[in-house]
Amino acid sequence: MPDEMKASHVLVPPARADGRSAKLNAEDPAGPYGFFGRHILADLYGIDAEALNDAPYLCSLLEAGIVRSGATLIKTVDFVFQPSGVTLLMLLAESHVSLHTYPDESRAFFDAFTCGTTCDPHQILRMFCDEFPQCTWRMTALMRGDPQTERLSF
């Protein structure tokens, strides 16, 4: 087999449509909107059951967190379950935030993903949980897309 056809173990960032490397750095003119982002998943515990059934209140908390994070809210969709529970989905210019509540158990699932480096999804979670003094959580944080260790961290 010719040398040029042998498998290589060198990691090379994929090419973008414009032919430049997909890996961004401080000098990259693509700026903060490349193919990378932060994804926060959290299981929330100890939240007031009445609050977890109040879709407008929950929306206002998440909206305040979105503003604090630097993200841009485009649209909110909510659904109130009977007899209890709320699902909220907030479309962001940078991606999304979702919340699924279980009032009878004082628990909720939280999910926020933001592309790029212009906003911080942790701020949305922190702002939400700050409103509930008894709130505890188990969180998973993922960096997605191209590595950005020099500019993007948790």
Side-chain angles (χ1 to χ4, degrees):
M1 176 184 305
D3 285 343
E4 64 269 14
M5 294 181 70
K6 290 182 182 175
S8 171
H9 296 284
V10 177
L11 295 176
V12 178
R16 297 187 328 195
D18 62 6
R20 292 187 297 147
S21 167
K23 186 173 188 296
L24 300 178
N25 58 45
E27 291 78 39
D28 191 330
Y33 300 106
F35 184 71
F36 56 91
R38 293 176 273 194
H39 201 160
I40 304 297
L41 305 166
D43 303 341
L44 311 177
Y45 306 91
I47 300 174
D48 178 69
E50 188 175 329
L52 289 177
N53 262 325
D54 187 343
Y57 176 64
L58 297 171
C59 279
S60 70
L61 294 178
L62 292 174
E63 287 170 2
I66 289 167
V67 169
R68 178 193 274 180
S69 78
T72 304
L73 179 63
I74 295 173
K75 185 174 185 170
T76 299
V77 176
D78 64 59
F79 186 83
V80 178
F81 293 92
Q82 296 303 323
S84 67
V86 172
T87 291
L88 301 173
L89 179 59
M90 306 178 105
L91 178 64
L92 308 178
E94 299 80 7
S95 195
H96 71 273
V97 175
S98 68
L99 183 72
H100 307 279
T101 73
Y102 297 81
D104 298 338
E105 300 177 33
S106 298
R107 298 194 266 183
F109 289 119
F110 172 90
D111 171 15
F113 177 61
T114 58
C115 298
T117 59
T118 62
C119 48
D120 179 3
H122 280 100
Q123 294 298 323
I124 304 166
L125 177 60
R126 284 187 197 114
M127 184 110 181
F128 184 84
C129 289
D130 284 351
E131 290 297 313
F132 304 101
Q134 301 302 315
C135 181
T136 59
W137 66 85
R138 181 178 59 203
M139 181 182 77
T140 301
L142 304 168
M143 288 178 55
R144 297 182 60 191
D146 293 332
Q148 291 294 304
T149 55
E150 71 276 5
R151 291 179 49 200
L152 184 65
S153 62
F154 286 107

